[in-house]
Amino acid sequence: METTRKGTTGETVERVKTGAHDTVETVRAGAHEAVERVAEASTRAAEALNEKTEQLTEAQERLREQIREYVRENPVTSLGIALGSGFILSRLMSHR
């Protein structure tokens, strides 16, 4: 009867061992897939951010050029705007 018992115990241990191994493999595969999805999402987000940064840089450059053109075409008005803005800012800052 002991042989049967040992055989049964050995089989049970083997089944538990196999089951644990299968569970570990399932968890590992799931974790690997999750990491891959996060990495892919991060890459897409970085690419989108780079694209938006380029768009903002181009928009800033266009605005800078438009301002330069306006100042060249309207120097007196531009000077008046600059002086008025400076005066208003200095008044706001001095009342703090």
Side-chain angles (χ1 to χ4, degrees):
M1 198 154 204
E2 285 214 19
T3 329
T4 310
R5 205 174 216 178
K6 282 183 180 179
T8 305
T9 304
E11 290 171 4
T12 303
V13 168
E14 193 59 39
R15 279 194 308 259
V16 169
K17 184 175 144 185
T18 302
H21 178 73
D22 292 347
T23 301
V24 168
E25 280 302 308
T26 301
V27 169
R28 185 200 61 77
H32 182 73
E33 289 173 16
V35 167
E36 288 295 320
R37 285 194 303 268
V38 168
E40 188 177 315
S42 297
T43 301
R44 284 194 308 267
E47 289 170 354
L49 185 60
N50 284 337
E51 185 178 325
K52 290 297 179 187
T53 300
E54 282 182 29
Q55 290 173 354
L56 286 173
T57 302
E58 291 170 5
Q60 181 183 17
E61 197 57 44
R62 284 191 306 271
L63 181 61
R64 185 178 296 137
E65 189 55 41
Q66 289 172 351
I67 291 170
R68 283 183 185 146
E69 188 177 316
Y70 180 84
V71 170
R72 283 186 194 118
E73 292 174 1
N74 305 291
V76 176
T77 304
S78 299
L79 184 60
I81 291 171
L83 288 173
S85 299
F87 177 75
I88 292 171
L89 284 174
S90 70
R91 296 289 290 183
L92 289 172
M93 297 301 257
S94 66
H95 285 338
R96 281 182 121 191

